[in-house]
Amino acid sequence: MGKITFQNTNNPTITMAAVLNLPPDFGEKKTYPAIVVSHPGGGVKEQTAGTYARELAEKGFVTIAYDASYQGESTGEPRQLENPYVRTEDVSCVVDYFTTLPYVDNHRIGAMGICAGAGYTANAALNDHRIKAVATASLVNIGSMFRNGWENTVKDAEAIQYLDAGSSARTADASKAEKARIPLAPEKESDAPNEELRQAWEYYHTSRAECPTAPGFATARSLNQIITYDAFNKAEAFLTQPILCVVGSNAGSKWMSDDLLARAASKDKKMHVIEGANHMDLYDGKTQVHETISVIVPFFTEKLAKA
């Protein structure tokens, strides 16, 4: 169907920009399972989220890839706010929109996300049980990553400096100074500490996948929400839906998928490991995306089947 807009039901002053994808056999009098696909921190719907949304639609699902509030082509000020609580609510706002579509079966809605979008997806699902199944690719719990580092080598308390930086940014914002920002991917190749994160720079800042609406940074004030955020808070009680985590064997971020599966209350949870793949390979690596789709499609087909 293409690009659409709809009102954000959590904040009606925001207009969400999205891409709606329909299955090849689409008929308005039929009903279909639906999947909301959430982009990484710093990303937009035209990048990896859009890739997965299109691939899933080809397999029979109604899908939406969308731009987060304050980002991409969605509205909201300040631009590039990365408030994880808002991003979690955005997932449910897309579910809200799905329920208004006569061709979507409201009892067969799933959600997937990539990187931080996967963490937000898990958090949305533990809050919102209209989401019946969860799939993740290269999952990142953005709070854990900012607190503990890419490979979980930093203690929580050492992140206090980032809380202070967030507070300083808010003070500066209040005086209408130029808004401070933080990178969500290395802004220069020389900033990357390893090959995996060098590929993150390459993805967002070169022809590999750069997009004018995805500058790859967030407002520094976002640190006040990010640092104390836990995408899996109370997962041991409330995240009961089926879960599939797809990760690369060489991904520095793999520990966060391990953490989700260890903590989630779900009795139907599993991991698929793509051998030799790193975090970024699942964004746009042809063979890695193909393998991810090859396990996610049967997962959603089974879990979102008609009762």
Side-chain angles (χ1 to χ4, degrees):
M1 183 173 180
K3 285 190 173 184
I4 60 169
T5 59
F6 55 91
Q7 188 179 59
N8 184 309
T9 49
N10 187 56
N11 182 348
T13 67
I14 290 177
T15 299
M16 304 295 287
V19 176
L20 173 64
N21 303 280
L22 302 174
D25 70 341
F26 179 75
E28 290 187 357
K29 294 185 179 180
K30 298 180 181 179
T31 58
Y32 299 86
I35 301 169
V36 50
V37 183
S38 298
H39 63 70
V44 287
K45 63 187 179 302
E46 288 81 9
Q47 296 171 320
T48 182
T51 299
Y52 281 103
R54 287 191 300 273
E55 292 284 345
L56 288 166
E58 284 294 318
K59 302 301 183 182
F61 302 94
V62 173
T63 67
I64 284 179
Y66 65 98
D67 288 334
S69 297
Y70 308 100
Q71 300 175 28
E73 294 179 321
S74 292
T75 65
E77 296 287 342
R79 300 306 296 165
Q80 299 310 124
L81 185 73
E82 184 78 15
N83 183 322
Y85 302 97
V86 172
R87 291 236 23 207
T88 292
E89 276 295 324
D90 284 347
V91 180
S92 287
C93 287
V94 179
V95 175
D96 292 344
Y97 180 73
F98 271 146
T99 68
T100 71
L101 302 177
Y103 48 83
V104 167
D105 186 335
N106 293 348
H107 302 289
R108 301 166 67 201
I109 296 175
M112 84 157 287
I114 307 94
C115 191
Y120 299 137
T121 295
N123 194 235
L126 70 88
N127 294 324
D128 188 348
H129 283 223
R130 294 176 301 174
I131 298 170
K132 302 304 182 184
V134 173
T136 70
S138 291
L139 179 148
V140 162
N141 179 345
I142 196 169
S144 294
M145 190 267 288
F146 268 80
R147 286 191 302 273
N148 307 123
W150 186 246
E151 296 180 334
N152 195 25
T153 56
V154 182
K155 294 181 180 179
D156 283 357
E158 295 180 35
I160 289 177
Q161 61 182 312
Y162 300 118
L163 283 175
D164 292 341
S167 296
S168 295
R170 294 178 67 124
T171 298
D173 289 353
S175 66
K176 303 193 184 305
E178 182 178 352
K179 288 182 171 55
R181 69 191 204 186
I182 53 172
L184 292 174
E187 294 187 318
K188 298 183 295 184
E189 185 174 13
S190 58
D191 292 339
N194 54 49
E195 171 58 19
E196 191 169 37
L197 293 178
R198 189 203 67 79
Q199 288 190 32
W201 161 80
E202 181 181 69
Y203 187 86
Y204 287 107
H205 298 299
T206 76
S207 58
R208 176 172 170 178
E210 65 183 344
C211 186
T213 55
F217 64 81
T219 57
R221 68 182 292 128
S222 302
L223 288 167
N224 276 161
Q225 290 79 44
I226 290 172
I227 296 302
T228 56
Y229 177 76
D230 177 12
F232 313 149
N233 183 46
K234 296 299 179 181
E236 67 278 5
F238 302 120
L239 187 51
T240 59
Q241 301 96 313
I243 305 166
L244 171 62
C245 293
V246 184
V247 297
S249 63
N250 295 337
S253 57
K254 180 179 177 294
W255 63 276
M256 288 177 272
S257 292
D258 293 331
D259 188 34
L260 172 63
L261 294 182
R263 294 169 63 183
S266 174
K267 302 300 183 184
D268 183 359
K269 52 187 178 180
K270 58 185 178 180
M271 177 181 288
H272 179 85
V273 179
I274 300 179
E275 290 301 323
N278 68 24
H279 181 90
M280 299 304 301
D281 287 331
L282 274 64
Y283 282 48
D284 63 343
K286 185 175 180 179
T287 59
Q288 293 86 0
V289 170
H290 177 77
E291 184 170 340
T292 302
I293 288 293
S294 76
V295 293
I296 286 179
V297 167
F299 168 77
F300 277 129
T301 298
E302 176 187 351
K303 307 309 176 185
L304 301 180
K306 287 184 178 179

